[in-house]
Amino acid sequence: MVDVCILTGYGINSDYESKYAFELAGAENVQRVHVNKFINNNDLLDNYQILMFPGGFSFGDHLGSGRVLANKFRYSLREELTKYIQDGKLIFGVCNGFQILVKMGLLPALKAEYYKQTVSLVGNKSGQFESRWITLKPHDSKCIWTKGYNANLELPVRHGEGQFVVKNKEILKTLWRVKMIPFTYTLSEYPANPNGSIDDIAGICDETGRIFGMMPHPECHLFDYHHPEWTRGYKPEINGLKIFQNAVGFIRDNYE
Amino acid sequence: MKLSCRIEWCGWMENVHKIEVGISNADGIKKAILTDLGIKGVTKVEVINVYILEGVGLSDEDLTFLGEELFSDPIVEQYSIDKPLKGKFDGSIAEVGYKPGVTDNVGKTTVEAVKDALTIELNAAYSLKQYIFYGIDVKTADIIVRDLLANELIERWNVKKGQTYTGFDIFVPKVKLEKEPTVETIDLDVSDEDLLKISHDRVLALNLEEMRAIKDHFISTKDERQKLGLTQNPTDVELECLAQTWSEHCKHKIFNALIEYNEGDKRETIDSLFKTYIKGATDKINSDYLVSVFKDNAGVIQFNEDYTVCMKVETHNSPTALDPYGGALTGIVGCNRDPAGTGKGFKLIFNTDVFCFGSPFYEGEIPPRLFHPRRVLKGVHKGIIDGGNQSGIPTVNGSLYFDKRFSGKPLVFCGTGGIAPTIIDHEPTHEKKPKINDLAVMVGGRIGADGIHGATFSSLEINENSPATAVQIGSPIVQKKMLDFLLEARDRKLINAITDNGAGGLSSSFGEMGEDVGVRLDLEKPPLKYSGLMPWEILLSEAQERMSVAVSPKNLDKFMNLAKKHSVEATVVGEFNGSKEFQLYYNGQLAGNIPMKFLHDGVPQKHMKGIWNPKNESDPNFDEPKDYNTFLKEMLGRLNICSKEESIVRRYDHEVQGKTIIKPFVGLKHDGPSDSAILRPLFKSWEGLAVSHGLCPRFSDIDTYHMAANAIDEAVRNAVCTGGDPDYMAGLDNFCWAMGFDEKDEIKYTGLLVRANKALYDITTHYNLPLISGKDSMRNDYKIGDNAVSVPPTLMFSVISKVPDIRKAVTMDVKNEGDLVYLLGITKKEFGSTEYYQELELKGGKVPKVEPKSAIERYRKYHQAVKKDLIESGHDCSDGGLAVALAESAFAGAIGMKINLSKVPATNCNRNDEILFSESPSRLIITIKPENKNRIESIFEDQVISNIGTVIGNKLKIKGLDGNNIVNEDVSELKLAWQKTLHFLTGRVD
């Protein structure tokens, strides 16, 4: 059985559709779990093999997007999270969830140095919230979540702080060299690159490939009728569902 | 009411620390300074975020830790503690913070985040911003802050010179009310003149008749009151509670008035517009899918066997005029609480937003207390962005309408829809009933002086004395937490009844919820933001993010524990007790006792007069445009036609929850204007819900009957276009009216109101379209000094419609070369108040008139064709007429069209412009595959329908009545003309 925990509470708002995505991908036990339940019950993480930080506006993006929820986890669940990661389990963050993982220092966590922030997601270059469909180009990477993406993937973005920045050029080089960049936007120009991310980076994973975060929303492109051009008879080659299927498959192969 | 507070100023304070974080570039502000204010010379703008922490026990180490781990982003930011981050520079620096008592959401989050990081509980935290302007002096910087960045009503600021800058003093905006809570009595045994004075001085907004009714009640219940220990005179708690409950906002006195109406020689007496026309229509139609109408916070209809859906649309005009950002934010999050407070609570699934503003290009003087329409637009837009996006509710439908008469009071319509299981554990979810002995529980935010007198204030025109406390700032995140909790509580059967705290606060929520049983409230129990509030203020406060719930005593512990899990505050503040009275205590002392019957039914019926005289509808003489190619592009660029995509709509989240199947913008490049949105509310069913609206205040200049008829028809047509079932629809009426400035005005506007209501009845009964909810905002007038302006009478009509199968949905963009273009419906020379006449600055003409019988038949047949997959694209023909609709369909699909005007079915049209730009209602443009020609023509056999052209090439080519090509333009050029008007509003710097 694959057990998935979808975090909820404090302004997280993509929890229901994320739950649906994992269910559609075949996970048997998908739970929406309030952040406070984790904070007050440290053993809870043992029950799951997949942990997802969905999109939303945790704490209203006050003090920087993802910052406050990232700290909540960092301060109260550090040991448990470390064990969870060492056990080879999976973590996924989308949009605000990606921001949380980055600010918690779980991504990219170069040389497995977790809890140290080395990259960031800051205000879009356009200076405004962007809500539009974009196209992602897959890259050869270590990410287990994105295996088998051989064609461009179209997804919606909905964020005000999605500009990927790095502390220095070395980090950027490492990310490419170690193959930690599964997706980039297809073009560098606005709005194809909706936020001005460096090297058009839309998502990154850690060195194990098991922790993955991205700005666009795969849980909002699960079937053809999600796509804005479906009434034109357009059927995309691939949608976001495979990301969730890859994770469920990974757990089945490694934990059952 | 004025806050009397002590403001603390000093450079250093014990146990107070200031952390500054930044510094980030703000090119958007730099651009706005130039484009919005026309101020040159600012070479660069930077922003610093400032946090003031007030609390004991913060060491230097703690502060450094917070600076590094919490406040700054280590990759891109720096911070400073108790010293300025910015050094000396050439320019000016401003620091902006909230005034005491204004909700500071970032401050609240800071307290929680510091607790997580250090396990230290701060007394309070406050957020401020510093703006650094390079290249300008202090005086100019002050103007920029005042006119662009801050709002005097809720914010304070200080500006310093960059060359000598050494930081700002610390300002702690703490409210300190220096008064003891007391209950006063008010002597009503006075002359009529004094009764009116009491009403005026206390901002009760009650007229003489109503004041007299209150006076009589208290005199006649003297003996009963004496037994309770109350005097004959009402307490301030009682008087304020009555005024609030009887406000126009809550009791809809105009819609329930007895109206003597004259139309030409005809005279009639109308006993309540609401009962006669609105409820009257719905009663007559009596659709079997209606579940709960007109009695709860939102109207409820059956969606399928297992689920019901509901919708409510609110306006928030007066607060938006005072604070565009806070007003709109509170508007949308406030409207969210209506479906959430319907029955035992609904899950929120969509938002809609419709705004009416003055032109953003207005160049004249701005009268006192008003903002430039561009600032109103930007502020409202930001409010909706924050309110909608942060709440996790997709914004799926809306529009923006401009007319100079909306510059006195902007109209902000916010709509929200919800869904709920029909039954939860044998009990219908739409029913609410507090039981005797149930506890009255207040959930969510705390009470402050914010929004006191909101309900009575919105029932008055804006003038110099409008209270600043009418402004509130909502917090979508606090509310999201609360609503997550309440939904879980509902599913665990812990809620017997729920309603929201909006206008009138606790007085309204528990007063209404306890109408049948009676309720006792202990006014010292609700948690306060700060002490010093009077009991009546606690009762009436409109502080945001609060719901009122009836919980059985046996469930209280479970309810409270669940609240704790969600970090939501919940407090027992009273009890439902079977007294059939509203009993108000403060510290154990009876502070008020009002029989529910008098509270809810005691308001005397208002008597009004209305007169309407028809206008002459003859057309002026004028020449038709010489160059239709150029003219069409001008029409496409008109404010009320042009694209709102990049400037407005791309800033809203349309897709959170993963259920948006037809989005606001459609077509090959996702930039064509969709007629309505379609949601798939349940992941396990293909059934859908179309959401649309109609709005055309322009036609009120000729006849409000046809303004209303056109608005309803447009809303229905929009829903039908994408696939809504015309026989499974529900409507919501939102009236925003004016009453003018004297009795003569009032009679005129009342006549216009009657006309609009007659149309509402006529059209909805013909369409079998039940009304499920509505709201009215009756006094949208502005007068200060010689400046007087009233909004044009406006009905904003919303429709929700069942879509049997979302996989059959249709969009407005043309799909394939070779498809045939059909126009459904007849075109007449109807130019009155059209976009065409406004472009030519012409008055007069015939107002477009709906023919309901043929229109609804057309929609039914269209729906049949949709179900049979015969329609490739379908688009509503409205603002700007046929020419605009054709251009939109063509450029959205990025394919051209060849159109022949002589094929257009028309009566009395002899000129090209009459066919191109008439706004005859109920028309649709469809494109179909050539092989479906016969099937389409047979479905529409009895209807006016004509094949007017073909989808082909990359140009829109229109052949005029004389056989010459009058339009011949690339669709990409037409699109550009349509898109560029509002481009300056985008935050992008290019």
Side-chain angles (χ1 to χ4, degrees), chain B residues 272-295 298-301 712 729-733 735 757-774 797-798:
Chain B
S272 169
L273 291 168
F274 172 71
K275 280 184 207 143
T276 311
Y277 298 117
I278 298 176
K279 190 164 177 301
T282 301
D283 287 348
K284 186 175 174 200
I285 298 160
N286 195 21
S287 310
D288 55 7
Y289 50 84
L290 298 180
V291 174
S292 163
V293 295
F294 302 126
K295 57 183 177 197
V300 185
I301 63 169
I712 299 164
M729 293 195 169
L732 293 93
D733 59 283
F735 284 87
N757 274 275
K758 283 177 182 281
L760 189 70
Y761 182 87
D762 292 348
I763 303 295
T764 55
T765 49
H766 271 104
Y767 284 11
N768 261 328
L769 165 65
L771 299 161
I772 56 167
S773 175
F797 197 83
S798 309

Side-chain angles (χ1 to χ4, degrees), chain A residues 8-21 23 32-37 39-40 55-64 67-69 71-72 74-76 78 102-103 115 117-122 125-134 154 156-158 165-168 171 190-191 217 219-220 222-223 225-233, chain B residues 51 65 68-76 105-107 109-110 112-113 116-118 347 385 389-393 475 477 480-481 484 487-488 564-567 645-646 649-663 665-670 680 683-684 686 806-811 813-816 872 892-895 985-989:
Chain A
T8 173
Y10 289 113
I12 288 170
N13 64 29
S14 303
D15 40 342
Y16 286 92
E17 59 270 41
S18 299
K19 179 173 188 272
Y20 175 63
E23 284 168 350
R32 290 167 54 250
V33 182
H34 198 281
V35 170
N36 282 353
K37 208 166 169 187
I39 307 293
N40 300 325
F57 277 85
S58 57
F59 293 95
D61 278 1
H62 305 148
L63 312 183
R67 171 75 53 200
V68 179
L69 197 58
N71 279 356
K72 244 187 204 311
R74 224 163 26 146
Y75 300 139
S76 40
R78 195 165 172 146
V102 157
K103 293 182 181 184
Y115 308 109
Q117 186 183 342
T118 53
V119 302
S120 197
L121 291 153
V122 300
K125 263 200 179 150
S126 66
Q128 56 192 10
F129 190 92
E130 297 290 342
S131 175
R132 61 177 86 246
W133 280 64
I134 49 79
E154 292 173 76
V157 292
R158 316 185 304 247
V165 294
V166 292
K167 199 165 185 177
N168 55 51
I171 291 171
Y190 175 88
H217 288 269
E219 77 284 2
C220 275
L222 299 174
F223 44 83
Y225 301 96
H226 265 145
H227 194 281
E229 290 157 61
W230 75 264
T231 59
R232 304 183 62 78
Chain B
Y51 307 93
F65 180 78
E68 262 166 34
E69 296 265 318
L70 179 63
F71 292 113
S72 69
D73 185 315
I75 312 303
V76 292
N105 292 318
V106 177
T109 302
T110 303
E112 171 147 9
D116 287 341
L118 299 172
K347 183 178 191 300
I385 292 170
N389 294 356
Q390 296 192 10
S391 301
I393 303 163
S475 166
I477 291 306
K480 171 96 174 91
K481 269 164 53 176
D484 284 356
L487 219 49
E488 202 176 324
K564 205 172 158 195
K565 183 188 111 178
H566 284 266
S567 299
E645 186 202 349
E646 284 294 341
V649 186
R650 287 273 166 236
R651 311 285 84 80
Y652 301 147
D653 187 337
H654 322 128
E655 313 200 39
V656 61
Q657 303 192 14
K659 291 166 175 172
T660 314
I661 299 300
I662 300 298
K663 306 174 209 295
F665 284 87
V666 297
L668 187 66
K669 301 282 181 196
H670 320 166
R680 180 193 181 191
F683 287 126
K684 285 174 187 162
W686 292 110
I806 58 115
R807 292 169 295 184
K808 305 266 183 191
V810 173
T811 49
D813 47 313
V814 299
K815 304 295 189 301
N816 322 293
E872 298 299 305
I895 319 177
L985 283 172
T986 62
R988 289 177 61 200
V989 184

Side-chain angles (χ1 to χ4, degrees), chain B residues 823-840:
Chain B
L823 178 62
L824 314 181
I826 195 145
T827 303
K828 296 176 185 169
K829 187 186 172 186
E830 291 177 314
F831 274 157
S833 278
T834 57
E835 285 294 322
Y836 181 58
Y837 263 25
Q838 297 206 332
E839 174 69 19
L840 298 177

Side-chain angles (χ1 to χ4, degrees), chain A:
Chain A
M1 191 159 92
V2 177
D3 307 284
V4 185
C5 167
I6 310 282
L7 284 174
T8 173
Y10 289 113
I12 288 170
N13 64 29
S14 303
D15 40 342
Y16 286 92
E17 59 270 41
S18 299
K19 179 173 188 272
Y20 175 63
F22 275 110
E23 284 168 350
L24 209 57
E28 292 85 354
N29 176 31
V30 189
Q31 302 287 335
R32 290 167 54 250
V33 182
H34 198 281
V35 170
N36 282 353
K37 208 166 169 187
F38 263 107
I39 307 293
N40 300 325
N41 183 356
N42 296 358
D43 301 333
L44 206 60
L45 214 46
D46 289 345
N47 301 343
Y48 302 98
Q49 301 93 42
I50 298 175
L51 172 64
M52 179 170 179
F53 293 79
F57 277 85
S58 57
F59 293 95
D61 278 1
H62 305 148
L63 312 183
S65 56
R67 171 75 53 200
V68 179
L69 197 58
N71 279 356
K72 244 187 204 311
F73 271 82
R74 224 163 26 146
Y75 300 139
S76 40
L77 279 175
R78 195 165 172 146
E79 278 170 37
E80 293 77 8
L81 267 175
T82 306
K83 181 173 175 294
Y84 178 92
I85 295 165
Q86 281 167 352
D87 286 350
K89 295 178 180 179
L90 303 181
I91 300 179
F92 187 29
V94 168
C95 197
N96 190 227
F98 182 28
Q99 293 161 342
I100 291 167
L101 294 181
V102 157
K103 293 182 181 184
M104 229 195 288
L106 294 190
L107 285 175
L110 296 170
K111 295 183 185 142
E113 205 180 334
Y114 292 101
Y115 308 109
K116 190 183 161 200
Q117 186 183 342
T118 53
V119 302
S120 197
L121 291 153
V122 300
N124 296 343
K125 263 200 179 150
S126 66
Q128 56 192 10
F129 190 92
E130 297 290 342
S131 175
R132 61 177 86 246
W133 280 64
I134 49 79
T135 308
L136 296 176
K137 185 179 166 191
H139 296 268
D140 178 29
S141 88
K142 289 189 163 173
C143 186
I144 70 99
W145 295 81
T146 57
K147 294 271 177 266
Y149 273 95
N150 300 318
N152 286 352
L153 169 64
E154 292 173 76
L155 295 179
V157 292
R158 316 185 304 247
H159 61 248
E161 297 184 28
Q163 185 187 169
F164 185 80
V165 294
V166 292
K167 199 165 185 177
N168 55 51
K169 283 261 165 65
E170 280 311 303
I171 291 171
L172 195 60
K173 274 189 204 156
T174 312
L175 289 177
W176 281 114
R177 197 186 64 239
V178 189
K179 298 189 173 169
M180 297 165 78
I181 302 171
F183 286 131
T184 58
Y185 305 108
T186 44
L187 298 168
S188 298
E189 290 79 41
Y190 175 88
N193 174 342
N195 44 42
S197 287
I198 191 157
D199 284 5
D200 311 316
I201 292 170
I204 58 167
C205 62
D206 74 340
E207 289 171 351
T208 70
R210 296 193 299 263
I211 306 178
F212 174 44
M214 63 194 291
M215 284 315 294
H217 288 269
E219 77 284 2
C220 275
H221 188 189
L222 299 174
F223 44 83
D224 290 346
Y225 301 96
H226 265 145
H227 194 281
E229 290 157 61
W230 75 264
T231 59
R232 304 183 62 78
Y234 175 70
K235 289 194 192 306
E237 235 175 288
I238 198 156
N239 62 31
L241 182 60
K242 195 170 179 53
I243 290 179
F244 301 92
Q245 287 169 333
N246 280 337
V248 171
F250 178 87
I251 296 300
R252 282 207 211 295
D253 293 346
N254 293 281
Y255 274 83
E256 287 185 354

Side-chain angles (χ1 to χ4, degrees), chain B residues 697-727:
Chain B
R698 283 182 274 126
F699 298 140
S700 286
D701 291 348
I702 298 177
D703 188 345
T704 52
Y705 182 96
H706 297 292
M707 178 280 292
N710 274 284
I712 299 164
D713 183 58
E714 187 185 9
V716 169
R717 190 164 72 237
N718 278 331
V720 168
C721 270
T722 48
D725 181 350
D727 288 312

